[in-house]
Amino acid sequence: MPHKCYHGKTGRIFNVTRRAVGVIVNKRYRGSILPKKINIRIEHIKQSRCREDFLNRVKSNDERKRAAKATGERVNTKRLPAAPRTGHYVSTFQNQPSVVEQIPYEFIA
């Protein structure tokens, strides 16, 4: 099992053997980042899914561009940040507000 500082890290495979793979992983050490080469058994690794969203976005952008080109429109393929939620009023009818206060400290000797 790899050491706890490598759990959940993403790395690049540089060597493959029968039962294990060699992985280059970045490790923080005293304010610097060191590339470390470690050997990990196959049971302890899984393929990263961080690129799936990017590939799906590229595919959908290509389809949108093709459709826009056929209709002669311009399409915006840039990512936009999530807009703030719309404002609303919270009714207190049959929904009485509750008072939140701290619990007093009890000294037990």
Side-chain angles (χ1 to χ4, degrees):
M1 195 95 171
H3 193 260
K4 63 183 177 182
C5 63
Y6 300 114
H7 283 223
K9 299 285 186 189
T10 303
R12 291 190 325 260
I13 292 178
F14 72 93
N15 186 25
V16 179
T17 61
R18 279 186 305 155
R19 296 186 183 92
V21 292
V23 182
I24 299 175
V25 183
N26 289 332
K27 180 182 179 184
R28 290 207 44 156
Y29 178 71
R30 294 190 180 185
S32 62
I33 298 174
L34 306 173
K36 303 283 282 190
K37 287 186 175 183
I38 59 174
N39 288 311
I40 303 173
R41 286 189 63 117
I42 294 175
E43 308 93 67
H44 302 297
I45 63 171
K46 65 178 180 179
Q47 189 166 5
S48 177
R49 298 183 60 195
C50 63
R51 196 161 164 80
E52 281 182 9
D53 186 40
F54 170 72
L55 294 175
N56 292 338
R57 198 171 72 243
V58 168
K59 193 179 293 185
S60 68
N61 283 349
D62 289 342
E63 290 174 6
R64 289 175 58 197
K65 285 178 189 176
R66 239 181 274 119
K69 195 171 187 180
T71 59
E73 297 177 356
R74 282 182 58 98
V75 65
N76 185 14
T77 58
K78 293 182 179 180
R79 291 181 290 171
L80 298 173
R85 293 179 288 184
T86 58
H88 63 279
Y89 290 101
V90 177
S91 173
T92 57
F93 178 70
Q94 294 184 350
N95 182 20
Q96 292 299 319
S98 59
V99 179
V100 178
E101 57 187 23
Q102 59 193 8
I103 301 170
Y105 177 75
E106 295 179 15
F107 182 74
I108 300 173

